[in-house]
Amino acid sequence: YEYMTILSQKTMSEQDRFLLEERSRIELTLEKYDEMRELYAEDIISYEEYSDYLLEYNYASANSGIFNNIERHKDYINAMSEAGYDADFVYDTGWKQLLIVDFDWTLFMALVLICSNIFACEYDKGSSNDGFAQILRTTKQGRNRTIVIKYLALLLFTISVFVVWNAVDFCRVSMNYELPCISSSIQSIESFAGFLPNISIGGYLVCYYMTKLAAAIILASLVFALSAIM
């Protein structure tokens, strides 16, 4: 996270310089371990000096593997740049949690269960032998107007449920992870390397939610239509 945050605020040339300097710092610190241990054992350096070195060594040891990933991502950025995409350093753990998820069946199952009963009261035979639907169809505007009103209510309900359902996930992720660099290219996240449109993370997020909303409305409309004729 620290490396990604620092590098995301630098230009390309500054990134290159930072990576070279940090790699040199890590390698030099790790290589000096045996030497520094001998110097301390021979009382050539003080305890404070050795302690300061150990702090640097622990930092270098802990970050060496992480820095390998950073350098690989830099190679990825260069490759994407050659292909015409503006990839950058982005701390993407939160974005992956939000955008790369399994299909959520719960929302669509809830819509199916609720929408399938939207005309149930019309076919309830408690009031007549054939249900209220037969009476409603004989009125001048009853059937068509009822369908329009119910469909509009269905759209409002579907949108409301969709917003609440996805707001829960968004709040959960945003409270546990950073969601930085929303204006950076979606290709900055390596999982989207093959995504052709060169749009921002924010633009992809809008498309992502609009596509999910469209799918929810289409499903609700289909169930609505089937329940109206059955």
Side-chain angles (χ1 to χ4, degrees):
Y1 172 75
E2 180 182 356
Y3 281 134
M4 286 292 192
T5 302
I6 293 173
L7 288 165
S8 66
Q9 301 169 355
K10 296 181 179 295
T11 63
M12 294 289 285
S13 60
E14 290 174 338
Q15 289 173 0
D16 292 335
R17 185 166 59 253
F18 175 85
L19 292 172
L20 288 173
E21 292 174 352
E22 186 68 8
R23 171 52 69 188
S24 297
R25 174 190 172 193
I26 289 174
E27 292 298 331
L28 181 61
T29 301
L30 295 176
E31 290 172 1
K32 290 171 58 179
Y33 179 74
D34 292 334
E35 177 187 352
M36 294 298 289
R37 187 172 60 177
E38 291 177 5
L39 291 175
Y40 176 67
E42 296 173 3
D43 291 330
I44 298 176
I45 60 174
S46 66
Y47 173 77
E48 289 75 15
E49 290 176 311
Y50 187 59
S51 296
D52 290 341
Y53 167 74
L54 287 180
L55 290 176
E56 294 181 9
Y57 175 82
N58 290 334
Y59 171 87
S61 180
N63 286 280
S64 181
I66 297 173
F67 200 72
N68 289 336
N69 295 332
I70 298 296
E71 291 173 319
R72 281 196 294 269
H73 189 69
K74 178 60 176 177
D75 292 337
Y76 165 79
I77 290 175
N78 292 336
M80 294 303 293
S81 178
E82 292 176 359
Y85 296 101
D86 299 324
D88 204 346
F89 284 97
V90 174
Y91 176 69
D92 59 7
T93 302
W95 290 120
K96 287 180 178 180
Q97 289 287 325
L98 190 64
L99 299 176
I100 306 175
V101 295
D102 293 331
F103 184 77
D104 184 10
W105 290 97
T106 57
L107 170 62
F108 294 95
M109 288 300 297
L111 290 175
V112 169
L113 291 174
I114 294 172
C115 296
S116 61
N117 292 317
I118 200 166
F119 287 97
C121 62
E122 296 181 13
Y123 294 95
D124 182 9
K125 295 186 178 182
S127 57
S128 64
N129 291 334
D130 296 320
F132 183 68
Q134 298 299 323
I135 300 175
L136 186 64
R137 288 169 182 170
T138 62
T139 61
K140 185 177 181 180
Q141 295 181 334
R143 183 60 173 172
N144 292 337
R145 187 171 183 180
T146 299
I147 289 178
V148 171
I149 292 174
K150 284 190 174 184
Y151 185 67
L152 292 176
L154 173 73
L155 290 179
L156 180 60
F157 172 79
T158 300
I159 293 172
S160 299
V161 171
F162 176 85
V163 170
V164 172
W165 223 272
N166 287 278
V168 171
D169 285 337
F170 186 87
C171 290
R172 174 185 59 81
V173 172
S174 62
M175 286 189 298
N176 289 282
Y177 303 95
E178 293 286 338
L179 296 173
C181 306
I182 194 170
S183 60
S184 295
S185 170
I186 187 63
Q187 284 81 15
S188 298
I189 304 173
E190 292 189 27
S191 301
F192 293 92
F195 192 75
L196 295 180
N198 194 6
I199 62 174
S200 66
I201 295 175
Y204 180 86
L205 187 66
V206 171
C207 294
Y208 172 74
Y209 280 123
M210 292 303 294
T211 301
K212 290 182 66 176
L213 176 59
I217 291 176
I218 291 172
L219 176 64
S221 300
L222 178 61
V223 175
F224 176 89
L226 291 175
S227 63
I229 62 177
M230 293 179 64

